[in-house]
Amino acid sequence: MPLRSIVLFIAAALTEIGGAWLIWQGVREHRGLVWIGAGVVSLGVYGFLATLQPDANFGRILAAYGGVFVAGSLLWGMVVDGFRPDRWDVIGALICLVGVGLIMYAPRAA
């Protein structure tokens, strides 16, 4: 079971999306440099978390994470900002998550 990888993807999503949101709040909502700084730190943690994935292929990890980012961004928007995705948002996110599954967990020849 790829449990470690999935947990790392979730943690990476929280730190990257959260970091970007903090910077957005600092700049767009005029909350200031503390929010921006916290966002920068959070984005740095995201970069570190990606290195902990069991797969050693940077391109594969970041490509798969892109799908997690899409779905996670929609969820973040729903929970934090009251965003209401339409059916096309949901279908698109599900397609991305299928792609994550294929990229990360499909059987490969050794």
Side-chain angles (χ1 to χ4, degrees):
M1 179 71 181
L3 183 60
R4 177 178 178 210
S5 175
I6 292 168
V7 168
L8 285 168
F9 275 135
I10 291 168
L14 289 172
T15 57
E16 186 187 17
I17 297 163
W21 183 82
L22 286 166
I23 293 170
W24 179 283
Q25 293 297 308
V27 174
R28 299 278 304 246
E29 303 299 325
H30 309 288
R31 294 199 173 167
L33 291 176
V34 171
W35 286 69
I36 295 167
V40 169
V41 169
S42 185
L43 289 170
V45 172
Y46 152 73
F48 178 76
L49 286 170
T51 70
L52 301 176
Q53 281 286 351
D55 191 300
N57 296 293
F58 176 82
R60 179 176 293 143
I61 297 301
L62 270 284
Y65 176 68
V68 173
F69 180 82
V70 169
S73 295
L74 291 174
L75 284 171
W76 183 281
M78 290 170 61
V79 171
V80 176
D81 289 328
F83 173 69
R84 306 270 309 177
D86 64 22
R87 68 178 174 193
W88 301 111
D89 295 324
V90 173
I91 291 168
L94 291 173
I95 290 169
C96 289
L97 291 175
V98 168
V100 171
L102 291 171
I103 291 168
M104 287 299 296
Y105 311 117
R108 290 189 163 74

